[in-house]
Amino acid sequence: MAEKEAKSIDKATLEMIEKAAQDGVRVVFDRAETTRACPIGAEGSCCSICAMGPCRVMAPKGKEETAEERRKRVGACRASPETIPSRNCVRQIATGTASHGHPASVMAKFLLAVAKGEAPGYEIKDEQKLLQLALDFGIKIGDRSNEEIAVDVGKLLLNEFGKQDGELLFLKRAPLKRQELWRKLGVAPEGIDKEVSEAMHRTHMGTDQDYQDLLHNGTKVALADGWGGSMIATEIQDIVFGTPAPVLSQINLGVLKEDEVNVIIHGHEPQLAEMMAVVAQDPEMIKYAKTKGAKGINLAGMCCTANEMLMRHGVPIAGNFLQQELAIVTGAVEAMIVDVQCIMQGLVDTANCYHTKIITTDSRAKIQGATHMEFDEHNAFESAKTVLKVAIDNFINRGKNVRIPKHKTDMIAGFSHETINYLLGGMFRASYRPLNDNIINGRIRGVAGVVGCNNPRTPHDAGNLAMTMELIKNDVLVLQTGCMAMASGKAGLMVPEAAAKYAGAGLASVCEAVGIPPVLHMGACIDNTRILMAATAMVKDGGLGDDLSDLPVAGAAPEWMSEKALAIGQYFVGSGVFTVFGVNWPTIGSKEVSDYLFKDMEKMYGGMWAFEPDPLKAAHLMIEHIDKKRKALGLDKARERVLYDMAMRRELE
Ligand code: XCC
């Protein structure tokens, strides 16, 4: 039992790990035991960039290295133990940037298709956001239709990917001081695809061989993600699907239903998911499901698609990254519909043990053994219907070996930075002023973005939750996205009542006054840009310095696994935010490289990395950083006072 508990802290997950074992099904938790992480690769000391290698350059453990040993510890080309992990790390950042950027370019084309009437069934939902972008970009509004304006906006955004010079348009959204710093340091990205391509070239054998220069370029490519690809995707999705507003739903495997057709949408691109949400409610489809003996159609999400559907439609979430196979183990899932990223190949093996159909829908992501049914956004309604029919037809094949865990929790999602603005200041005086004021008076100590994945090398959800609880207990307001947000949702931290239960007195008093949870769900991983925008709004509102690096804020990904997380972390660091990762650190094999990232970067960017696998210690590193920033702003006294001043608390009640 103890060993099983070590795999997860989530009861539904543990129950399904047990069922998988009973059913003789191997899932990610089992594979992580038999396929151990390679210790050389894990510390970044393996170079497989050319066929002279792979070359391994690990430092000797537990003894001093002699000068002679150090001299010989290099690749065949003489690549140094600093160049190798830096090069690997920059490649990972570039992949992460591409993984947000390529879907974002598809999204820009999608906006054009919607605007030109070539994607029936979709429309422009957030006119205000479209017009604001047009204004920002100097696009004529006049008496032109939304569609005409959207064509110009779409073209301009699509151009951001292939651009070879100039500067990314959204850099201008950052505080002025930050923009100037990026220009001075030469890391202001020019084009999203250009930066990815340049990073791949620089990391080719025999090109950039100065680890500092490599990592400097890593920042530039990461900024092309945060202030480029990801931001573009978020903005377009809001325009076409609507900007999220708070919505109540439920999370965990208990959202699956015994008597309905269960369909899980898993992946990252919301175009199909949006249409599935419509089609699943179509009376004709529900009637069809009834002819197969089901009471209805139950749609649920997994990973980032889940976040998208939750915050815009209130569609429940079945689980986060490490629960994808376990959803199938319930025996109650008729189809899992997947697109791109974070889809484990193990899904097919697991599905073969039950009746579930794995349906791939994206031309860029096929899986051997799965059924491929390409989604056509130009004929979205029919496409979605065809896929859904396959799921409904499969209901009659559901076997007797069904066990759905009872566990599910209420959660509120949909805190876009615009919504936070309204909630804090009210519709007619929307502003971040109340947040800044409460930071200044010390009721809120600071703000943390705690984001990222699950990783089977560390107990599922445990680090995510321990860190979040520690932060809110210490009056730090926590903003979350991705699979991390789901860990908090499952634990009941995303309802307003959680403030009184788990948050420190100062934070709880503000949450109670505004009616928000102490942990705010801000969306999918691309929506980390909403956190950048919230932080920028705090700077612009005044009183907390004049750059992002002045703010009492910090970032973390305690259970990260994806290269996208590294890109996100690097764009936070490059934007001036102290960022701490858990599990493993890709350059830990080199003290020089790690020192550069953990210490020297602060001198350049005002933000730096830290690696701390203990989530409580990591939370305290973040709190220390927040306190350091408070002190620099002269706010340390305010916080000392607020702890004792009951009159100040009563003021709010
Ligand atoms: Fe990580 Fe992004 Fe994937 Fe979940 S889904 S495992 S990247 S948190 Ni986005």
Side-chain angles (χ1 to χ4, degrees), residues 171-343:
L171 296 191
K172 291 218 163 49
R173 288 182 157 188
L176 273 179
K177 208 167 158 190
R178 183 63 28 184
Q179 296 179 36
E180 281 158 17
L181 181 74
W182 289 333
R183 283 175 202 126
K184 196 177 104 202
L185 293 173
V187 294
E190 285 135 29
I192 298 155
D193 292 353
K194 172 196 165 278
E195 302 309 343
V196 173
S197 165
E198 184 182 330
M200 295 310 283
H201 171 218
R202 277 178 185 246
T203 52
H204 184 273
M205 184 267 147
T207 309
D208 200 353
Q209 292 160 91
D210 172 331
Y211 75 94
Q212 299 192 359
D213 198 50
L214 277 161
L215 292 166
H216 205 55
N217 176 252
T219 308
K220 193 176 179 192
V221 71
L223 289 172
D225 179 5
W227 299 86
S230 284
M231 199 170 274
I232 290 174
T234 296
E235 293 295 300
I236 298 180
Q237 287 174 15
D238 283 356
I239 290 172
V240 182
F241 307 131
T243 299
V247 57
L248 173 69
S249 191
Q250 289 189 314
I251 181 164
N252 216 343
L253 293 169
V255 305
L256 298 176
K257 295 190 176 155
E258 291 265 0
D259 48 7
E260 296 193 11
V261 175
N262 288 307
V263 183
I264 294 185
I265 316 234
H266 172 18
H268 283 80
E269 295 196 324
Q271 295 93 313
L272 169 63
E274 280 286 319
M275 201 44 86
M276 287 299 290
V278 174
V279 170
Q281 286 172 14
D282 185 46
E284 192 197 312
M285 295 308 283
I286 295 171
K287 207 165 125 198
Y288 185 63
K290 287 185 177 161
T291 66
K292 303 287 171 185
K295 286 210 171 118
I297 302 164
N298 182 38
L299 201 60
M302 183 71 66
C303 285
C304 276
T305 296
N307 284 322
E308 303 277 3
M309 291 201 298
L310 164 72
M311 63 185 177
R312 294 201 178 89
H313 299 283
V315 170
I317 296 185
N320 51 5
F321 178 65
L322 286 182
Q323 291 180 286
Q324 53 186 286
E325 291 162 306
L326 301 178
I328 297 172
V329 172
T330 62
V333 175
E334 274 56 58
M336 188 174 276
I337 300 163
V338 304
D339 52 47
V340 293
Q341 299 168 24
C342 303
I343 321 287

Side-chain angles (χ1 to χ4, degrees), residues 100 266-268 302-305 307 320-322 324 341-343 451-454 481-484 486 524-526 528 559-565 568:
H100 289 141
H266 172 18
H268 283 80
M302 183 71 66
C303 285
C304 276
T305 296
N307 284 322
N320 51 5
F321 178 65
L322 286 182
Q324 53 186 286
Q341 299 168 24
C342 303
I343 321 287
V451 305
C453 323
N454 298 140
T481 60
C483 290
M484 166 74 233
M486 299 179 196
C525 302
I526 54 148
N528 284 312
E559 295 180 36
W560 76 285
M561 68 87 201
S562 156
E563 290 163 312
K564 293 177 285 177
I568 293 164

Side-chain angles (χ1 to χ4, degrees), residues 5-209:
E5 266 168 6
K7 291 179 180 172
S8 178
I9 56 157
D10 173 51
K11 291 206 172 77
T13 299
L14 290 173
E15 194 181 327
M16 285 304 102
I17 290 175
E18 194 177 289
K19 182 171 186 292
Q22 282 164 5
D23 295 351
V25 177
R26 273 169 61 76
V27 293
V28 58
F29 296 94
D30 306 304
R31 294 189 298 268
E33 274 176 6
T34 46
T35 308
R36 294 259 165 217
C38 163
I40 306 161
E43 63 166 56
S45 297
C46 175
C47 180
S48 60
I49 269 168
C50 83
M52 291 194 283
C55 298
R56 300 177 299 178
V57 295
M58 318 81 76
K61 305 276 181 276
K63 73 172 183 83
E64 257 324 276
E65 186 176 30
T66 65
E68 184 56 12
E69 284 169 337
R70 177 68 182 79
R71 201 174 60 80
K72 289 185 181 156
R73 190 161 61 84
V74 291
C77 69
R78 180 38 191 100
S80 72
E82 292 80 47
T83 296
I84 289 170
S86 312
R87 207 153 55 180
N88 292 340
C89 183
V90 171
R91 280 208 166 181
Q92 288 181 295
I93 293 172
T95 308
T97 300
S99 303
H100 289 141
H102 190 257
S105 68
V106 171
M107 195 52 70
K109 288 184 188 159
F110 176 63
L111 175 64
L112 285 171
V114 173
K116 291 175 181 168
E118 293 164 1
Y122 301 102
E123 59 186 6
I124 287 160
K125 289 233 175 83
D126 191 338
E127 179 189 44
Q128 210 184 334
K129 191 161 243 192
L130 172 73
L131 298 183
Q132 186 57 55
L133 270 191
L135 278 176
D136 292 349
F137 295 154
I139 290 171
K140 186 177 156 229
I141 295 178
D143 54 2
R144 299 166 82 211
S145 70
N146 282 346
E147 286 68 28
E148 284 171 307
I149 296 166
V151 168
D152 287 354
V153 170
K155 279 185 185 160
L156 207 61
L157 290 178
L158 190 57
N159 188 47
E160 291 292 271
F161 296 90
K163 215 159 77 174
Q164 293 297 319
D165 45 31
E167 236 175 47
L168 290 183
L169 294 168
F170 280 146
L171 296 191
K172 291 218 163 49
R173 288 182 157 188
L176 273 179
K177 208 167 158 190
R178 183 63 28 184
Q179 296 179 36
E180 281 158 17
L181 181 74
W182 289 333
R183 283 175 202 126
K184 196 177 104 202
L185 293 173
V187 294
E190 285 135 29
I192 298 155
D193 292 353
K194 172 196 165 278
E195 302 309 343
V196 173
S197 165
E198 184 182 330
M200 295 310 283
H201 171 218
R202 277 178 185 246
T203 52
H204 184 273
M205 184 267 147
T207 309
D208 200 353
Q209 292 160 91

Side-chain angles (χ1 to χ4, degrees), residues 327-361:
I328 297 172
V329 172
T330 62
V333 175
E334 274 56 58
M336 188 174 276
I337 300 163
V338 304
D339 52 47
V340 293
Q341 299 168 24
C342 303
I343 321 287
M344 288 192 205
Q345 192 161 354
L347 287 178
V348 173
D349 280 354
T350 310
N352 284 340
C353 301
Y354 303 90
H355 74 304
T356 310
K357 289 213 182 303
I358 304 295
I359 303 173
T360 52
T361 58

Side-chain angles (χ1 to χ4, degrees), residues 358-590:
I358 304 295
I359 303 173
T360 52
T361 58
D362 194 290
S363 60
R364 296 162 296 177
K366 295 178 185 167
I367 309 175
Q368 242 178 2
T371 308
H372 188 70
M373 299 178 75
E374 210 147 303
F375 174 62
D376 176 10
E377 64 199 24
H378 302 284
N379 192 12
F381 191 77
E382 284 310 315
S383 258
K385 241 169 127 175
T386 314
V387 174
L388 188 56
K389 268 202 166 147
V390 173
I392 296 172
D393 287 339
N394 199 25
F395 184 73
I396 51 168
N397 298 322
R398 195 190 279 185
K400 294 257 173 296
N401 182 13
V402 172
R403 194 194 329 158
I404 300 175
K406 297 272 168 283
H407 308 282
K408 57 181 170 183
T409 314
D410 283 348
M411 70 181 285
I412 296 178
F415 291 92
S416 53
H417 68 91
E418 291 89 346
T419 301
I420 297 176
N421 209 17
Y422 294 142
L423 284 174
L424 289 170
M427 259 303 189
F428 301 105
R429 51 184 177 93
S431 105
Y432 272 72
R433 196 67 249 152
L435 176 62
N436 284 19
D437 285 346
N438 280 300
I439 291 174
I440 291 166
N441 69 29
R443 288 187 188 102
I444 295 178
R445 191 176 199 147
V447 179
V450 183
V451 305
C453 323
N454 298 140
N455 187 321
R457 307 289 177 199
T458 187
H460 170 234
D461 286 350
N464 283 340
L465 209 61
M467 174 182 281
T468 305
M469 296 282 263
E470 191 64 13
L471 289 168
I472 59 174
K473 193 173 97 189
N474 283 282
D475 294 315
V476 177
L477 176 68
V478 177
L479 310 179
Q480 297 194 331
T481 60
C483 290
M484 166 74 233
M486 299 179 196
S488 296
K490 283 184 276 180
L493 299 184
M494 290 185 161
V495 286
E497 305 82 72
K501 242 176 166 172
Y502 305 112
L507 174 63
S509 65
V510 177
C511 289
E512 280 163 26
V514 184
I516 53 170
V519 183
L520 301 180
H521 181 293
M522 294 189 82
C525 302
I526 54 148
D527 295 323
N528 284 312
T529 61
R530 297 190 200 274
I531 300 181
L532 288 180
M533 292 307 294
T536 302
M538 286 164 68
V539 172
K540 291 187 175 164
D541 226 281
L544 294 173
D546 51 11
D547 193 359
L548 296 168
S549 54
D550 295 333
L551 294 171
V553 301
E559 295 180 36
W560 76 285
M561 68 87 201
S562 156
E563 290 163 312
K564 293 177 285 177
L566 269 186
I568 293 164
Q570 188 62 52
Y571 74 61
F572 269 95
V573 169
S575 299
V577 180
F578 169 65
T579 303
V580 52
F581 270 33
V583 191
N584 181 33
W585 183 251
T587 70
I588 206 71
S590 163

